[in-house]
Amino acid sequence: NSPPPPAPALTLDKTASPTTVSAADQSVTYSFLVTNTGNVTIAALQINEIQFSGTGTAPVITCPVSALSPSASTTCTGTYVVTQQDIDAGSITNEATASATDPVGGTTTSPSDTAAVTATQSATLTVAKTVTSTGPYTLGSTISYSVVATNSGTVTLINVLVADPLLAAPNSISCATVAPGATCTLTGSYTVQQADVD
């Protein structure tokens, strides 16, 4: 009986951990389980990112071995640091293949596999109003105020308007963008009226 003809083949199972993130600078580790499902030894194994929606530096993927005998497998890994743009987008998607060379120099590529990471989003503003001047105040006195809106959520807020109709004009301010943890501040004044004294 003659030996079976060479039939190189690879499979790839890609996963992400964790699968949910909630803030910039968190890390996601991608794992790529590569299995030699063919009948020949393959070499020069590498992972090919086909599509990656992350806006930061793409993960550098390393494999513990570069050659696999038939039925053998290995797990390659790479780490990605989440950006605020990823949180704002709501997810990070990723598609990859594994490829290697067969004994006669041909290239074998696995079917692609995907991994998705979901970004937990919350849009929250907190407001704090404080008096920035010192009294005592009498009729006609000017009281200075600071109204601070803080983005206490996880996503960047757009066109944030802080307004206080009782303050002298200008009694509002608009901030084009407010990142998580950042603020939009209105400073203004109010003149004590007779009704206030009464």
Side-chain angles (χ1 to χ4, degrees):
N1 290 341
S2 60
L10 293 173
T11 61
L12 173 66
D13 181 18
K14 180 176 183 178
T15 57
S17 178
T19 57
T20 302
V21 292
S22 59
D25 297 325
Q26 292 180 342
S27 294
V28 175
T29 298
Y30 290 99
S31 297
F32 306 82
L33 173 61
V34 183
T35 302
N36 182 348
T37 54
N39 62 2
V40 293
T41 299
I42 56 93
L45 173 66
Q46 62 180 16
I47 303 297
N48 317 294
E49 293 283 9
I50 300 173
Q51 179 271 337
F52 183 64
S53 71
T55 58
T57 302
V60 176
I61 302 162
T62 58
C63 300
V65 297
S66 61
L68 290 175
S69 58
S71 300
S73 62
T74 190
T75 300
C76 307
T77 57
T79 300
Y80 175 70
V81 178
V82 177
T83 69
Q84 184 58 50
Q85 290 90 341
D86 298 331
I87 301 296
D88 293 343
S91 65
I92 306 165
T93 57
N94 199 329
E95 182 179 9
T97 62
S99 64
T101 57
D102 59 38
V104 295
T107 298
T108 301
T109 302
S110 72
S112 66
D113 195 24
T114 60
V117 175
T118 302
T120 302
Q121 295 179 313
S122 66
T124 309
L125 273 175
T126 56
V127 179
K129 182 176 181 180
T130 57
V131 176
T132 58
S133 57
T134 55
Y137 303 106
T138 59
L139 180 64
S141 294
T142 298
I143 306 174
S144 298
Y145 290 95
S146 174
V147 184
V148 180
T150 301
N151 181 349
S152 53
T154 63
V155 295
T156 301
L157 300 177
I158 300 171
N159 297 328
V160 175
L161 176 67
V162 182
D164 187 335
L166 295 181
L167 299 183
N171 56 13
S172 67
I173 186 173
S174 179
C175 297
T177 60
V178 181
T183 59
C184 183
T185 302
L186 168 68
T187 57
S189 62
Y190 175 78
T191 301
V192 177
Q193 308 296 311
Q194 184 60 56
D196 302 321
V197 176
D198 295 342

